[in-house]
Amino acid sequence: MTITSFTELGISEPLLRALEDADYQTPTPIQSKAIPLLLDGLDLLGIAQTGTGKTAAFTLPLLHNLEEDNVRPGKGQARALILAPTRELVIQIADSIKTYGRHMHMRSAVVMGGVGQRPQVDALRRGVDILVATPGRLLDLIKQGHIDLSQTEYLILDEADRMLDMGFIRDVRRIIEKLPEERQTLLFSATMPGEVAKLSRDILYEPERVEIAAKSIAVDRIDQRVHHLDKNAKQTRLAELLAEPDFDRVMVFTRTKHGANKVVKLLERDGISAEAIHGNKSQGARQRALDNFREGRTRVLVATDIASRGIDIDDVTHVINFELPNVPESYVHRIGRTARAGAEGIAISFCDASERSHLRSIERLIKRSLIIVGEGPVGPDVDSVENRKGRPQRSNSGRGRRRRSQRRAA
Ligand code: AMP
């Protein structure tokens, strides 16, 4: 059964009124799936990215449950903790709490780095219903004795994969150690790298899994692979690939003009016909390079992102990302050069150690992991939940948590 109204979801009247004020007509898919489970007190693993309505999906049931529990926070305590990787996200979540909780009397506070800690400490002193925080500053305040999480019954981790990228996972684990074992825990992540999958197994108890696919990005037909390798091995690997006869019409992408020129020079040294297009070339030179490529006189066109916009060439057999773009959307534009007009295409990305976080942002955007090929260090996503059989196990078994509904009945 698909739930199509917020009333059917079972959230309380003050929340329904706030949603009406905000002119939300119908729940998004993640909201209709997650909210009933969360009202029931279950743990949740949410695989979803920003834009799906996930903030409301966790904030609405949290506000509902906190009101129903009807307890006051003790001094320096928080009844619920939401952890997010960045200040921007913390502020956004705090705003959502204000919007959805406007007809309730919930006290919330934010804790984040980059601003003075004094006002944050003052806000915490009396205790809060909901605390939204970045991990680093929160851990600081815990160490200084300003906050006590021993009575925090609700924990939400938002954008866990970004926390991993930013090196916060250890801090997150330290913070969670301060919480009681009897609690409801939610973890949201757009992708499931091994570390995040492990964290979810450790902190969630028999979680329900809700997965929302990314908006349709037409990259499904493209075979996408990644080679993990050293930066200085890229040129050799490129030449090896181009020695294969089926690499017939190939676009190679670099981040910089200088990089594009260098690749062309080295390919020519290896006897492979290649030309570059980028912003430093005259319009005439760019057009000639494009024509040569289109007519098959050059096999390889090396381009930067900006120069490649709007290029329409059919039958590109392979796109090779010599360097990964730091803007993930550029990846989608780049690989869209292959598989045009219904053809199958192949996209190969080179990823050195410094590009791992770019890779993860891309995988988050396209909502899939690239296939890892070749030698080199093991990729960050090989240990994903999807690769494991069966239901995730808790590593610290025997902890006596029960479901919220059971806790209530007891
Ligand atoms: P999020 O994925 O949580 O960042 O939300 C994306 C945007 O969608 C936010 O601007 C929300 O205010 C908005 N939004 C969330 N749920 C709904 C809904 N059910 N109806 C309309 N807008 C929504």
Side-chain angles (χ1 to χ4, degrees):
M1 187 186 71
T2 315
I3 295 176
T4 54
S5 80
F6 283 107
T7 318
E8 279 179 87
L9 286 175
I11 49 176
S12 64
E13 192 274 332
L15 291 170
L16 291 175
R17 248 191 303 148
L19 292 173
E20 219 173 287
D21 298 342
D23 203 23
Y24 286 15
Q25 313 276 341
T26 46
T28 66
I30 194 166
Q31 290 161 4
S32 51
K33 283 185 188 162
I35 291 174
L37 302 170
L38 297 175
L39 291 177
D40 234 8
L42 301 178
D43 282 8
L44 183 93
L45 176 61
I47 320 246
Q49 55 189 289
T50 301
T52 51
K54 71 177 158 68
T55 316
F58 64 73
T59 308
L60 292 167
L62 176 65
L63 288 164
H64 177 108
N65 288 340
L66 285 170
E67 181 160 83
E68 210 172 64
D69 291 348
N70 194 23
V71 289
R72 293 177 79 93
K75 286 195 169 52
Q77 293 181 343
R79 296 169 64 202
L81 172 65
I82 303 175
L83 288 176
T86 62
R87 288 199 283 161
E88 291 70 26
L89 196 54
V90 162
I91 292 166
Q92 215 172 293
I93 294 168
D95 284 346
S96 297
I97 293 168
K98 286 208 181 78
T99 304
Y100 307 135
R102 61 184 296 205
H103 301 298
M104 297 172 142
H105 301 284
M106 292 289 163
R107 213 182 303 151
S108 60
V110 298
V111 158
M112 57 200 186
V115 288
Q117 81 164 47
R118 190 57 193 266
Q120 298 177 359
V121 171
D122 289 345
L124 289 171
R125 195 162 290 138
R126 291 193 318 166
V128 294
D129 296 296
I130 307 174
L131 174 61
V132 193
T134 52
R137 174 63 67 87
L138 179 62
L139 201 57
D140 265 2
L141 296 193
I142 293 171
K143 282 182 190 152
Q144 294 173 40
H146 293 301
I147 174 106
D148 163 17
L149 297 176
S150 67
Q151 305 300 316
T152 304
E153 293 204 343
Y154 300 90
L155 169 67
I156 297 163
L157 297 188
D158 198 12
E159 305 211 348
D161 50 356
R162 255 169 97 192
M163 298 221 210
L164 174 67
D165 287 346
M166 296 172 74
F168 284 151
I169 291 291
R170 194 179 292 174
D171 284 354
V172 167
R173 284 183 179 273
R174 286 203 189 111
I175 291 165
I176 295 174
E177 280 170 13
K178 312 284 180 200
L179 269 74
E181 294 189 347
E182 283 272 337
R183 58 166 198 255
Q184 184 181 30
T185 310
L186 284 54
L187 185 149
F188 288 89
S189 199
T191 58
M192 269 291 144
E195 280 276 302
V196 175
K198 182 164 185 335
L199 180 71
S200 74
R201 287 194 296 277
D202 290 346
I203 67 168
L204 299 173
Y205 176 61
E206 295 186 352
E208 296 289 330
R209 185 185 165 110
V210 171
E211 188 160 355
I212 302 298
K215 285 198 210 85
S216 61
I217 294 168
V219 294
D220 288 354
R221 289 196 316 272
I222 303 170
D223 178 339
Q224 297 168 64
R225 304 168 190 193
V226 58
H227 293 233
H228 289 281
L229 74 187
D230 282 343
K231 195 184 173 90
N232 54 20
K234 286 185 174 185
Q235 190 70 39
T236 311
R237 185 70 57 91
L238 180 64
E240 281 166 11
L241 289 174
L242 292 174
E244 305 281 331
D246 53 336
F247 283 66
D248 191 32
R249 194 188 296 256
V250 183
M251 279 193 80
V252 174
F253 284 92
T254 59
R255 264 203 301 271
T256 64
K257 300 167 206 169
H258 173 70
N261 286 340
K262 201 165 143 199
V263 168
V264 167
K265 218 162 148 187
L266 290 167
L267 286 178
E268 283 177 340
R269 189 198 63 189
D270 289 337
I272 297 165
S273 63
E275 279 189 279
I277 50 162
H278 54 63
N280 278 4
K281 303 245 171 186
S282 69
Q283 190 58 39
R286 282 159 69 165
Q287 197 54 50
R288 267 194 308 282
L290 277 180
D291 289 345
N292 286 340
F293 185 60
R294 195 175 276 126
E295 305 298 326
R297 287 188 290 271
T298 39
R299 229 174 104 209
V300 182
L301 187 67
V302 185
T304 57
D305 287 303
I306 294 177
S308 76
R309 292 267 160 82
I311 293 179
D312 188 14
I313 296 171
D314 287 335
D315 301 329
V316 172
T317 56
H318 296 76
V319 164
I320 298 177
N321 293 310
F322 192 81
E323 289 156 338
L324 285 175
N326 46 11
V327 179
E329 284 78 10
S330 296
Y331 173 83
V332 177
H333 290 145
R334 287 180 180 188
I335 70 166
R337 305 279 139 220
T338 182
R340 286 179 100 80
E344 306 264 317
I346 297 173
I348 295 167
S349 298
F350 292 172
C351 177
D352 66 39
S354 70
E355 295 172 305
R356 290 288 181 90
S357 65
H358 298 334
L359 176 63
R360 221 173 274 128
S361 303
I362 289 163
E363 291 182 325
R364 194 183 300 131
L365 177 72
I366 63 170
K367 199 71 188 34
R368 61 151 90 171
S369 299
L370 305 194
I371 301 161
I372 298 168
V373 283
E375 293 147 27
V378 174
D381 284 308
V382 285
D383 193 26
S384 69
V385 165
E386 287 83 353
N387 289 342
R388 287 167 182 266
K389 293 266 185 295
R391 204 178 170 89
Q393 296 293 308
R394 265 185 355 156
S395 66
N396 47 352
S397 58
R399 255 185 3 182
R401 284 199 60 228
R402 282 177 292 167
R403 295 180 173 193
R404 188 188 164 86
S405 49
Q406 292 169 314
R407 272 186 270 154
R408 287 243 162 104

